[in-house]
Amino acid sequence: MPELSFSAYRRFEDDGDRLAYEDLYFRRRAHVTALAAEAVIDQDARLDALADALWSVCDEYTWALPAHEMHATHFGRGMDQCLDLFAALTAQLLAETVRVCGDRLDARVAARVRAQVDHRVLSLLADDDRPLLWEGWDHNWAAVCGGSTGLAALALWKPGPRLTRVIDRCRAAQLTYLGGFGEDGGCAEGVDYWVFGFAHFVYFAEGLREFTGEDLLSHPTARAVAGFPAAVHLGGGLFPAFSDAGERTRVPAGLAHRLPRRLDAHVPSEAIDWDLSRDWADLSRTLRWAADDPEPVAPPHDVGATCLPDLAWVVDRGPDAAFAAKGGHNAEPHNHNDLGQFVLAARGEVLLADLGAGEYRKGYFDDATRYDFLHAASRAHSVPRVDGREQSAGRAHAARVRACQLADDGLSFSVDIAGAYAVDGLKSLQRTFDWRRGAGELLLVDEVEADRSMPLDEVFVSRLRPEVRPDGIVWTGRGTQARLRLRLPDDCTMHVEVETVHTTDHDGKPDTAHLLRIRTELTERRTRLAFRFEVGGVG
């Protein structure tokens, strides 16, 4: 049970570092979760260590993260009443632990937990009518904060006016969360944040159903949202790392087990996580719903193409190769400036990549500085740079889908992304992807209309270093036979260069990206640039 020092807490304000404090914080929560799980599994387990851990959490200066101080200061409250994602999760962890342990836990510890959960979390919804910031956010915050807070209240309180007020607001937050989805159920935050948000929505919905009989999972949007991971799976446990997502998202086994029974939705088996989570909500639901119940038989994950029209994503997965691309707009939750971005994968390895989430540091979630960070800026995506300009942020900078056609052997997807660029004289930039699964071939065509001459850089991003050859560019997978070739015309006069960027990934670990840039001068009013990618070594 590591100590939470002030020197670690102040790092975020001093130098923007979040990980120094958060590593200690999450290790503490993992410790409590493990002890609580032991108490659930072994009814004869001694609870002395658990009691000490719960008491220590009650001593903490705040249950929130330093990066989320605004959730207290906005209301003129101290940090002991900062209700962010992790304060809500802590309240659920402590409240449900007290409930499941019952009389086995020292009454003094249980009483202190109850008092602290009430003071730090539940009273803010039960006794103060001011809406919390996340109650109006139609993404994962509403689901997680509302769901965890509501479950904490159900665990600790008997029916009465205060419980009713909390549950009413938490239910409303879940409906706000669902309101952020289109009819296709697509999650603009990416698959990782789908897991975070939708898992806690389901956990609360099932808790509410047990308590009142009301079934939030009957909401017409819930079934479509439940099918999102299967719709965008690239195969082999890979997903498009669009927005602040990762390539290999893991879905808690408890959630994956519940979805087919309640919503007729199956998670790809390669993505189901049977490792015991350090998150109490995930771990406890896996123990309750999946540990002693046979896993539902998932239908085979068919080869084929998917189009999510509201989200403006397309995905095509084959037995050996996969492709995904996106339109959208540049003010999405966890937004990256990435209109027209695409990824290519083969044999379970990503060849042209989306770097996904960067390390969360001070300024990463500030609109004024977010796009100074590599991962969120368009320069780290496989999208053009026009007249030396990257894509701009904001809802007005949006792609317009021109066509989306699914075929037996692939798809064709066309978007005009000129609106992403604040460039005078740029009239249109229509990007068309023509993907053929059987051949492992992508024809990328950018058709540009401009009123004046200007340079245009085509950018292709990978964690694999490209080899520039006279006849084209080759990326070779690590430890696989996968290979990607970009063919260039024999008379190509475009300037080709590779920039290698050393950065850190979401967990603060070293990461390297290679940015291939191909520059041409647009001297005609209309210019057509065509690039043929061939995926080799896949059969």
Side-chain angles (χ1 to χ4, degrees):
M1 192 74 170
E3 294 297 320
L4 288 176
S5 65
F6 174 64
S7 59
Y9 183 88
R10 63 179 290 183
R11 285 285 300 277
F12 177 71
E13 185 63 32
D14 289 352
D15 58 27
D17 184 280
R18 290 181 57 155
L19 295 179
Y21 182 85
E22 291 180 13
D23 177 65
L24 300 172
Y25 178 99
F26 290 126
R27 282 166 54 196
R28 286 173 65 85
R29 294 303 182 269
H31 184 74
V32 180
T33 295
L35 292 169
E38 181 186 37
V40 171
I41 295 169
D42 182 2
Q43 293 296 307
D44 297 324
R46 291 182 58 86
L47 302 189
D48 295 345
L50 175 60
D52 285 343
L54 294 172
W55 193 267
S56 180
V57 173
C58 290
D59 281 338
E60 289 176 0
Y61 168 63
T62 180
W63 288 351
L65 300 184
H68 298 158
E69 283 189 350
M70 66 175 180
H71 292 274
T73 57
H74 179 84
F75 299 96
R77 298 182 180 126
M79 285 299 292
D80 58 325
Q81 290 189 311
C82 185
L83 181 41
D84 74 338
L85 294 163
F86 302 100
L89 290 168
T90 298
Q92 182 186 353
L93 163 61
L94 268 59
E96 292 187 347
T97 298
V98 165
R99 183 184 65 183
V100 299
C101 290
D103 294 340
R104 298 162 58 205
L105 186 67
D106 189 294
R108 291 165 293 185
V109 175
R112 189 169 185 219
V113 166
R114 289 175 179 275
Q116 287 295 309
V117 171
D118 189 321
H119 170 71
R120 294 175 183 255
V121 174
L122 299 183
S123 65
L124 307 185
L125 289 168
D127 306 326
D128 191 332
D129 292 334
R130 290 177 292 175
L132 297 170
L133 300 178
W134 50 260
E135 289 184 83
W137 293 351
D138 59 356
H139 51 68
N140 73 87
W141 272 73
V144 177
C145 293
S148 297
T149 300
L151 288 170
L154 289 174
L156 293 185
W157 288 355
K158 295 180 179 179
R162 295 185 84 223
L163 177 59
T164 298
R165 285 195 291 273
V166 171
I167 295 304
D168 284 348
R169 291 176 69 171
C170 291
R171 179 197 297 105
Q174 305 310 307
L175 297 177
T176 297
Y177 167 69
L178 289 180
F181 294 91
E183 293 183 1
D184 62 14
C187 180
E189 298 178 283
V191 181
D192 289 69
Y193 280 98
W194 174 91
V195 172
F196 194 35
F198 197 64
H200 288 87
F201 167 78
V202 171
Y203 300 157
F204 175 76
E206 291 296 75
L208 184 66
R209 185 167 67 100
E210 293 173 9
F211 181 69
T212 68
E214 179 183 357
D215 189 5
L216 288 178
L217 296 185
S218 66
H219 191 284
T221 302
R223 185 181 296 269
V225 178
F228 178 62
V232 301
H233 184 222
L234 297 174
L238 282 175
F239 296 93
F242 299 152
S243 304
D244 278 340
E247 294 174 347
R248 296 190 181 274
T249 301
R250 306 294 291 166
V251 180
L255 175 65
H257 195 270
R258 203 65 162 187
L259 294 183
R261 286 171 164 75
R262 296 285 285 114
L263 293 167
D264 194 28
H266 287 82
V267 172
S269 58
E270 304 97 321
I272 298 176
D273 190 359
W274 283 94
D275 290 339
L276 296 182
S277 171
R278 69 181 185 182
D279 183 296
W280 167 255
D282 293 333
L283 173 56
S284 60
R285 271 60 187 177
T286 292
L287 293 175
R288 288 175 56 188
W289 295 343
D292 298 323
D293 195 10
E295 183 179 356
V297 177
H301 191 55
D302 294 334
V303 168
T306 300
C307 177
L308 299 176
D310 298 311
L311 194 59
W313 287 19
V314 293
V315 175
D316 185 275
R317 55 203 157 266
D320 295 310
F323 162 77
K326 73 179 295 292
H329 60 82
N330 281 340
E332 296 167 344
H334 286 268
N335 181 68
H336 290 193
N337 288 341
D338 61 354
L339 308 188
Q341 166 73 342
F342 71 103
V343 297
L344 281 169
R347 291 188 175 272
E349 184 166 8
V350 178
L351 300 174
L352 287 186
D354 191 303
L355 301 182
E359 181 182 345
Y360 290 175
R361 299 183 60 86
K362 187 177 183 181
Y364 191 86
F365 290 101
D366 185 335
D367 290 343
T369 54
R370 179 173 179 83
Y371 304 102
D372 296 335
F373 291 86
L374 175 73
H375 291 70
S378 68
R379 65 181 177 276
H381 296 82
S382 297
V383 299
R385 178 187 293 228
V386 184
D387 199 26
R389 301 289 296 273
E390 297 181 22
Q391 292 188 9
S392 299
R395 184 64 178 83
H397 298 285
R400 291 186 292 172
V401 176
R402 297 298 193 185
C404 182
Q405 297 176 327
L406 307 184
D408 291 340
D409 190 37
L411 59 84
S412 180
F413 181 56
S414 181
V415 289
D416 190 334
I417 60 173
Y421 299 90
V423 173
D424 291 338
L426 179 64
K427 297 302 182 183
S428 71
L429 200 174
Q430 184 160 310
R431 168 162 276 205
T432 299
F433 303 95
D434 191 0
W435 164 250
R436 292 295 170 259
R437 182 189 321 124
E441 184 176 277
L442 172 68
L443 178 63
L444 168 64
V445 178
D446 282 340
E447 296 179 271
V448 189
E449 181 179 355
D451 285 345
R452 60 181 176 85
S453 299
M454 62 183 70
L456 183 142
D457 291 349
E458 296 283 4
V459 182
F460 304 109
V461 178
S462 179
R463 288 188 169 93
L464 306 171
R465 182 171 182 82
E467 179 185 355
V468 180
R469 302 178 179 180
D471 62 341
I473 318 296
V474 175
W475 294 263
T476 303
R478 300 186 182 102
T480 72
Q481 297 301 312
R483 182 178 294 109
L484 179 66
R485 179 187 296 273
L486 168 59
R487 294 200 177 275
L488 298 177
D490 294 336
D491 60 349
C492 177
T493 59
M494 294 182 284
H495 176 70
V496 179
E497 66 178 15
V498 177
E499 179 188 5
T500 297
V501 179
H502 299 287
T503 182
T504 54
D505 66 12
H506 180 58
D507 297 320
K509 298 177 181 177
D511 195 11
T512 301
H514 303 283
L515 282 57
L516 173 72
R517 293 197 184 93
I518 303 176
R519 169 166 289 194
T520 189
E521 291 290 331
L522 304 178
T523 58
E524 304 291 335
R525 180 178 176 83
R526 297 178 185 273
T527 305
R528 182 179 185 272
L529 303 170
F531 301 89
R532 188 177 300 277
F533 295 88
E534 300 168 353
V535 180
V538 297

